[in-house]
Amino acid sequence: MTVKLAVPSKGRMMEQCADWFAARGVRLSRSGTEREYSGAVEGVEGVALVLLSAGEIPRELAAGRVHLGVTGTDLVREKLARWERRVEALAGLGFGRADLVIAVPQAWVDVDTLDDLDMAAAAFREAHGHRLRIATKYHRLVREFLRAHGVADYRLVDSQGATEGTVRNLTAEAIADITSTGETLRANHLKILSDGLVLKSEATLYRSRAAPLDAVDGESMAALLGALRLV
């Protein structure tokens, strides 16, 4: 067997992963063409590189098909119920940082907190006969957050595209989405609730709790974590 390390297959996060590992003496490289999702790990024996989308990595970790993986905190906690039982967070890598937030139209001058949103949602339902819609692709995280803060009378609607535009397009009244600077929210005339931070996310190295390790794999894992200064 071989220890399998999964990292994002393309984009800025892949480049930042390569830089982070290289700074610790472990080189990640793509094999073949840009269309081939395979690669190599140099600097530690017995470790194979697996290139996946960041969204696929939580599933592969939970299933035990990869031993280690780099992906966003938000993706692990959204996609994996009871995530702590299925993966172990080893280290935040210091990049890919973003906040999952609740945002409402700037024109809602009387809505600044979650309590305000709860009252606005009740008033909206009474006035319109249906629940206030919150567009998001983070259904698990947002539902748990709003439940914990006593917000009711809302309905989550799925958004896999430009979530910030759903309010302007009249497909939602509020949103819950990832933001780094807030500029896109402001450009779409949205404001973040003062207590609307759901989760702070960053690229994180996770270890699977389900992936099997024999004695040789255990040595390779220990060598890799040692090189990364995580032991």
Side-chain angles (χ1 to χ4, degrees), residues 8 37 60 67 87 100 104 137 145 148 153 190 199 202 217:
Y37 293 97
E60 297 302 295
H67 298 84
V87 298
L100 175 58
V104 301
K137 59 183 176 182
F145 178 79
D153 278 334
L190 299 171
L199 176 72
E202 71 174 312
D217 290 341

Side-chain angles (χ1 to χ4, degrees), residues 2-227:
T2 303
V3 173
K4 294 181 179 179
L5 166 65
V7 302
S9 58
K10 56 187 177 180
R12 179 64 176 150
M13 187 174 285
M14 180 186 182
E15 297 171 2
Q16 291 173 314
C17 279
D19 291 343
W20 189 88
F21 279 87
R24 291 154 181 80
V26 179
R27 183 169 179 267
L28 309 182
S29 61
R30 182 186 289 271
S31 300
T33 69
E34 287 294 316
R35 294 180 181 272
E36 294 181 57
Y37 293 97
S38 60
V41 177
E42 300 175 24
V44 179
E45 296 295 324
V47 181
L49 184 65
V50 179
L51 300 176
L52 299 168
S53 71
E56 291 176 302
I57 291 174
R59 179 192 65 204
E60 297 302 295
L61 285 165
R65 289 188 285 265
V66 298
H67 298 84
L68 298 165
V70 176
T71 189
T73 313
D74 58 317
L75 295 174
V76 165
R77 299 194 184 188
E78 172 64 21
K79 293 177 178 291
L80 302 182
R82 298 182 178 179
W83 67 272
E84 304 98 325
R85 299 186 181 185
R86 307 172 75 179
V87 298
E88 176 189 4
L90 296 180
L93 305 192
F95 56 84
R97 288 176 171 154
D99 296 337
L100 175 58
V101 298
I102 309 290
V104 301
Q106 292 175 352
W108 292 11
V109 294
D110 295 329
V111 180
D112 180 62
T113 67
L114 291 167
D115 284 342
D116 296 337
L117 179 63
D118 184 47
M119 289 187 287
F124 183 91
R125 186 173 188 181
E126 182 176 350
H128 298 279
H130 63 86
R131 293 182 176 180
L132 180 146
R133 298 165 298 177
I134 302 175
T136 189
K137 59 183 176 182
Y138 296 94
H139 289 243
R140 183 196 306 278
L141 287 169
V142 173
R143 186 179 297 109
E144 291 176 353
F145 178 79
L146 294 178
R147 181 187 301 122
H149 289 83
V151 179
D153 278 334
Y154 69 89
R155 177 167 63 93
L156 297 182
V157 294
D158 193 48
S159 172
Q160 295 299 325
T163 303
E164 298 92 344
T166 56
V167 174
R168 176 175 289 181
N169 294 332
L170 305 180
T171 56
E173 285 70 50
I175 72 163
D177 201 18
I178 285 286
T179 183
S180 297
T181 64
E183 290 182 8
T184 304
L185 293 175
R186 289 188 291 272
N188 285 276
H189 308 291
L190 299 171
K191 63 179 181 179
I192 301 170
L193 295 181
S194 60
D195 54 356
L197 175 63
V198 180
L199 176 72
K200 297 186 78 67
S201 181
E202 71 174 312
T204 300
L205 177 64
Y206 290 93
R207 174 163 51 189
S208 170
R209 296 189 184 276
L213 284 173
D214 59 23
V216 175
D217 290 341
E219 292 178 2
S220 297
M221 175 73 82
L224 177 58
L225 297 184

